[in-house]
């Protein structure tokens, strides 16, 4: 069974850092592009970042560019989202998603396999 499991969320103060992990099982991660989306209560779902299957292409939303870094380790079947200089507006549930094609347009929901999400809360 194809499965994505996010971890690494939690409570952090503004300016702090977290690293989210996305572990894949039931499929070969090498074939899949990965994207991170987030959703806060009362707000629309937002595409955060994406990475191609070989890691050669990445994209970031304007709101996180320069602060977040997406990466992957196909041998470990894991993708990551390093989040630095966190702001209260980064508070959301973060979802790891996968697709057989790399979609760089983060304004569209084109990734069809989703994890359960992990909560990130940025607050004093």
């Amino acid at each position: 069974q194809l499965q994505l499991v996010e971890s690494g969320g939690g409570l952090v103060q503004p300016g702090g850092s977290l690293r989210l992990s996305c572990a894949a099982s039931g499929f070969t991660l090498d074939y899949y592009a990965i994207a991170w989306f987030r959703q806060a209560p009362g707000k629309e779902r937002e595409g955060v970042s994406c990475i191609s299957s070989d890691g050669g292409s990445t994209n970031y939303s304007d709101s996180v560019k320069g602060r977040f870094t997406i990466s992957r380790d196909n041998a470990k079947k894991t993708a990551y989202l390093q989040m630095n200089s966190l702001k209260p507006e980064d508070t959301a549930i973060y979802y790891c998603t996968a697709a057989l094609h790399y979609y760089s347009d983060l304004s569209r929901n084109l990734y069809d396999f989703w994890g359960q999400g992990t909560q990130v809360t940025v607050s004093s």
Side-chain angles (χ1 to χ4, degrees):
Q1 181 180 359
L2 193 154
Q3 186 175 354
L4 297 169
V5 179
E6 302 95 331
S7 62
L11 175 64
V12 64
Q13 291 185 325
S17 298
L18 287 172
R19 188 179 72 165
L20 305 184
S21 297
C22 173
S25 65
F27 65 100
T28 302
L29 188 65
D30 305 43
Y31 302 150
Y32 288 81
I34 298 293
W36 289 91
F37 287 77
R38 66 186 182 185
Q39 187 162 25
K43 298 180 65 176
E44 295 183 3
R45 185 173 298 163
E46 177 187 13
V48 176
S49 184
C50 54
I51 186 168
S52 60
S53 60
D54 63 357
S57 298
T58 60
N59 194 28
Y60 299 89
S61 67
D62 289 341
S63 62
V64 307
K65 187 176 178 62
R67 300 187 297 120
F68 291 10
T69 302
I70 191 169
S71 63
R72 62 191 298 157
D73 186 338
N74 287 344
K76 296 182 178 180
K77 302 182 70 174
T78 304
Y80 305 95
L81 185 68
Q82 178 67 46
M83 306 186 296
N84 298 326
S85 302
L86 283 163
K87 305 174 181 179
E89 51 262 44
D90 295 318
T91 296
I93 300 175
Y94 283 71
Y95 296 92
C96 177
T97 70
L100 283 170
H101 184 74
Y102 173 64
Y103 301 101
S104 62
D105 186 358
L106 290 167
S107 69
R108 302 181 65 190
N109 181 18
L110 299 173
Y111 290 77
D112 48 354
F113 301 107
W114 287 63
Q116 85 290 342
T118 185
Q119 176 71 50
V120 172
T121 302
V122 185
S123 176
S124 298

